[in-house]
Amino acid sequence: MNLNLATAATLADYTTARPGEQRLGEHLLLPQGNSLTGILSQARTDGARYVLLGVPEDIGPRANCGRGGSDAGWDAFLAQFLNLQSNDYIEGSDILLLGALMVADLQDSAQDLDPQHPAELEQLRALTAELDSRLTPVIRAIVSAGLEPIVIGGGHNNAFPLLCGASLALDRPLAAVNLDPHADFRAAEGRHSGNGFAYAWRHGALNWYRVIGLHEQKNNAAALSQMRQLGIHHISFQQIWTRRHIALSQVLDETLAELEIQSRPLGIELDMDAIESMPSSAECRVGVPMNDACHVIYRLAQYRDSRYLHLCEGAPRCHPSGEIAGRRSVGQALSELVLSYLAGRANPLP
């Protein structure tokens, strides 16, 4: 199964009870059963619609010659999300807290590797490919069970196994909308966080891709040229937030209208480095306001055939005031984005 399953002890470790109040951590479903198929089937019977899954790794960003730290995003998320109130808005009993992908051995193997040394960089990329092979079947099982994965933590390399797993389950390619300053469409030079969508396209798991908030000077000419040749569209950060040539609401309206034309199943992707000053693997001091990021997720989640949410690259220890401050910032931001997704799914477009 390659999973560290959540247990009642997991909830107890993170959830702080208060008399007269109910926390989300007191209402989430936990895995019941000995096999992943059995766990998901039982969760569906018990009323689950969503599956929370952590990927506590930073191998992919390091294999892209970037900063580590995204392995701590899942833990930061749990500390905040499980302590939110359970109430009439979101009660929590339709969410399965599955647990985290088993990656400690890969993290240990990668710990001392230096991406500045070519041989060690190749090892990091091989470890990223191994991570792909572990995550793909988990996503396939979740989507095959009729549930929606909400995947937290790790690098954007994991877009590839998410798209592959969902595509295998649905027996068709997906569309993806990515809020990200980087298109992550670099060359297929070995697996890393900068080429997940390029690999998904090459493997037939992705056949419609849009990047919102792409930074005009943070994507190489070869990647942009390849995207143009494939008919992949992007709207830059500068067009929306700097020059204000187009409103975010119009971008989202047009994106949703195009998705509806062929009723494509959709993967919703957000790289935390899109958000202004968010501690992340490639932090942006000038980025998307947090409220706008939540709105993007909410609107995309309203699309009826949305299949998953992926929130990656949050790196608490990259906070300038230290990891404790970073855990709070990243954990709160991830929680708000998940709440936005759940709200959108509860209010689908007609």
Side-chain angles (χ1 to χ4, degrees), residues 14 17 35 39 81 118 126 136 158 223 245 247 258 292-293 306 308 326 334:
Y14 288 97
S35 69
I39 289 168
F81 186 77
T136 298
N158 296 314
H245 288 170
E258 288 190 39
D292 284 352
S306 292
Y308 73 75
L334 289 168

Side-chain angles (χ1 to χ4, degrees), residues 180-181 211-216 234-244 274 276 286-289:
D180 196 338
V211 188
I212 298 175
L214 177 142
H215 195 291
E216 293 172 359
H234 70 265
I235 305 93
S236 75
F237 173 86
Q238 286 78 5
Q239 286 174 291
I240 302 171
W241 284 280
T242 303
R243 299 191 289 271
R244 306 199 180 186
E276 183 175 0
V286 178
V288 177

Side-chain angles (χ1 to χ4, degrees), residues 17-334:
R18 182 167 179 169
E21 298 184 2
Q22 293 289 309
R23 310 288 190 180
L24 286 179
E26 298 175 274
H27 288 265
L28 301 188
L29 298 171
L30 289 171
Q32 305 291 330
N34 298 318
S35 69
L36 181 56
T37 301
I39 289 168
L40 297 171
S41 176
Q42 184 61 52
R44 183 77 184 270
T45 299
D46 292 340
R49 180 177 178 184
Y50 310 103
V51 178
L52 286 173
L53 174 66
V55 188
E57 63 86 23
D58 62 358
I59 302 167
R62 293 179 56 221
N64 193 28
C65 303
R67 297 192 298 178
S70 59
D71 55 314
W74 171 243
D75 188 71
F77 166 74
L78 291 178
Q80 297 293 324
F81 186 77
L82 297 185
N83 285 293
L84 293 172
Q85 300 289 335
S86 170
N87 56 31
D88 291 344
Y89 292 101
I90 295 176
E91 190 260 343
S93 61
D94 59 352
I95 303 171
L96 170 67
L97 178 61
L98 182 59
L101 193 71
M102 197 176 292
V103 295
D105 60 322
L106 303 182
Q107 285 286 113
D108 288 344
S109 296
Q111 183 175 357
D112 296 325
L113 297 177
D114 184 350
Q116 299 305 312
H117 298 153
E120 295 182 28
L121 179 62
E122 289 304 309
Q123 291 179 63
L124 285 168
R125 293 178 174 178
L127 290 168
T128 305
E130 170 60 25
L131 181 63
D132 294 342
S133 70
R134 296 187 186 187
L135 183 54
T136 298
V138 177
I139 299 302
R140 182 179 188 177
I142 294 170
V143 176
S144 293
L147 300 167
E148 297 177 27
I150 298 174
V151 181
I152 309 289
H156 221 157
N157 43 291
N158 296 314
F160 175 46
L162 260 78
L163 287 162
C164 284
S167 176
L168 288 167
L170 299 172
D171 195 27
R172 61 180 296 194
L174 273 76
V177 178
N178 182 21
L179 183 63
D180 196 338
H182 311 97
D184 293 336
F185 219 84
R186 288 179 179 271
E189 58 192 356
R191 289 287 295 117
H192 58 66
S193 65
N195 59 20
F197 297 99
Y199 270 86
W201 193 282
R202 286 166 61 96
H203 282 73
L206 175 69
N207 70 352
W208 190 95
Y209 180 39
R210 175 157 298 179
V211 188
I212 298 175
L214 177 142
H215 195 291
E216 293 172 359
Q217 304 310 135
K218 293 184 178 180
N219 293 268
N220 67 52
L224 293 175
S225 175
Q226 176 72 3
M227 290 167 62
R228 279 193 298 271
Q229 292 174 23
L230 295 171
I232 295 171
H233 189 52
H234 70 265
I235 305 93
S236 75
F237 173 86
Q238 286 78 5
Q239 286 174 291
I240 302 171
W241 284 280
T242 303
R243 299 191 289 271
R244 306 199 180 186
H245 288 170
I246 187 169
L248 178 60
S249 58
Q250 181 181 343
V251 170
L252 294 169
D253 286 344
E254 292 176 356
T255 298
L256 290 165
E258 288 190 39
L259 287 166
E260 288 283 3
I261 291 172
Q262 296 188 25
S263 189
R264 303 171 185 272
L266 174 66
I268 301 175
E269 297 273 349
L270 184 145
D271 191 316
M272 297 297 283
D273 66 25
I275 300 169
E276 183 175 0
S277 298
M278 182 61 58
S280 56
S281 303
E283 181 179 346
C284 288
R285 301 301 292 177
V286 178
V288 177
M290 183 69 207
N291 285 341
D292 284 352
C294 287
H295 183 64
V296 169
I297 297 301
Y298 173 78
R299 288 290 310 282
L300 294 174
Q302 289 186 290
Y303 178 64
R304 287 186 178 273
D305 207 13
S306 292
R307 296 294 181 145
Y308 73 75
L309 173 66
H310 183 207
L311 305 174
C312 58
E313 303 270 353
R317 65 173 173 264
C318 293
H319 195 289
S321 296
E323 187 166 359
I324 293 175
R327 281 173 51 82
R328 186 168 183 82
S329 294
V330 171
Q332 284 189 355
L334 289 168

